[in-house]
Amino acid sequence: MKSRVWTIGAMMMTLSMLMGGCGKEEAKPVDIVEGVDKCDVCHMNVANDHNASEIVLQNGKVLKFDDIGCMYRWTKEHENEQVEARFVRDYLSKEWVNTDQATYVYDKTFQTPMGYGVYSFKDKAAAEAFVKEKQTGSVMSVQDLDKHAWESSMKKHGQSDGHPESGQHGTSDAQQTHN
């Protein structure tokens, strides 16, 4: 009788351990809905392009950003949030890539929605080839991005925080007047 109770107990314990490991799915990025989705930092429309990025919180909420710099700005301002995963888009294919697996290229002249000048690549060789082809830019890892200054080129246009007050991406006051 004792061995039967022990066997049933051991089976229950094994079953509960197996079920505990099966519970949560891996975080995944969600589709961008152009014209609807807004950046969680600058509140501009998020284009379904290579500049889009996302954060999935542990509670399942997905935050969307129009520029990698906005994602990093949010991360810095919300250090205590429970982040499950962060995703960027491959510059060439627009495929979603976990930030930890991507390679980045930075140059202050690269055009991004909020002027942070960082592009992401799923493949380090592709990032290096891009720098070689453009003859400008620095290849960076996610650890390099964590230490990056995150200054926007939009400061040149009179905005104090790199986010235009006009509601238009990357457009200076002078350009808006002529549009």
Side-chain angles (χ1 to χ4, degrees):
M1 181 78 166
K2 269 186 173 177
S3 71
R4 185 176 212 169
V5 170
W6 186 86
T7 303
I8 292 173
M11 286 175 28
M12 295 291 282
M13 208 167 167
T14 302
L15 184 61
S16 68
M17 287 187 337
L18 288 173
M19 290 183 72
C22 296
K24 195 171 186 181
E25 281 189 38
E26 182 179 330
K28 294 183 178 160
V30 299
D31 291 336
I32 299 293
V33 181
E34 287 186 333
V36 174
D37 289 330
K38 305 268 186 222
C39 178
D40 277 279
V41 169
C42 66
H43 308 291
M44 301 295 171
N45 285 329
V46 178
N48 191 24
D49 65 11
H50 64 269
N51 292 302
S53 57
E54 294 183 350
I55 291 177
V56 180
L57 300 177
Q58 284 186 350
N59 66 8
K61 182 178 180 181
V62 177
L63 307 174
K64 298 176 182 182
F65 306 94
D66 63 340
D67 192 303
I68 296 171
C70 287
M71 179 178 68
Y72 270 85
R73 181 175 167 176
W74 184 93
T75 301
K76 191 173 204 169
E77 292 172 359
H78 298 88
E79 291 176 350
N80 295 326
E81 287 286 339
Q82 299 296 315
V83 173
E84 182 74 24
R86 295 184 305 172
F87 298 97
V88 293
R89 297 296 264 301
D90 176 63
Y91 182 82
L92 302 172
S93 70
K94 297 187 217 167
E95 180 182 329
W96 288 109
V97 182
N98 189 296
T99 56
D100 294 336
Q101 297 167 350
T103 301
Y104 304 88
V105 176
Y106 165 74
D107 190 272
K108 65 183 177 182
T109 64
F110 290 166
Q111 301 270 322
T112 64
M114 299 313 296
Y116 288 103
V118 176
Y119 296 147
S120 51
F121 295 82
K122 67 180 177 180
D123 182 83
K124 185 175 181 180
E128 291 169 342
F130 181 84
V131 168
K132 186 174 181 180
E133 176 189 330
K134 299 295 182 188
Q135 298 182 352
T136 190
S138 301
V139 175
M140 302 173 77
S141 67
V142 71
Q143 292 82 11
D144 295 329
L145 288 186
D146 290 338
K147 298 176 217 163
H148 186 61
W150 291 109
E151 292 193 16
S152 169
S153 65
M154 299 184 91
K155 287 184 179 180
K156 295 179 206 169
H157 301 298
Q159 282 74 29
S160 61
D161 66 354
H163 294 83
E165 296 166 10
S166 66
Q168 296 185 15
H169 284 295
T171 307
S172 71
D173 292 335
Q175 291 170 317
Q176 290 174 24
T177 306
H178 294 95
N179 288 343

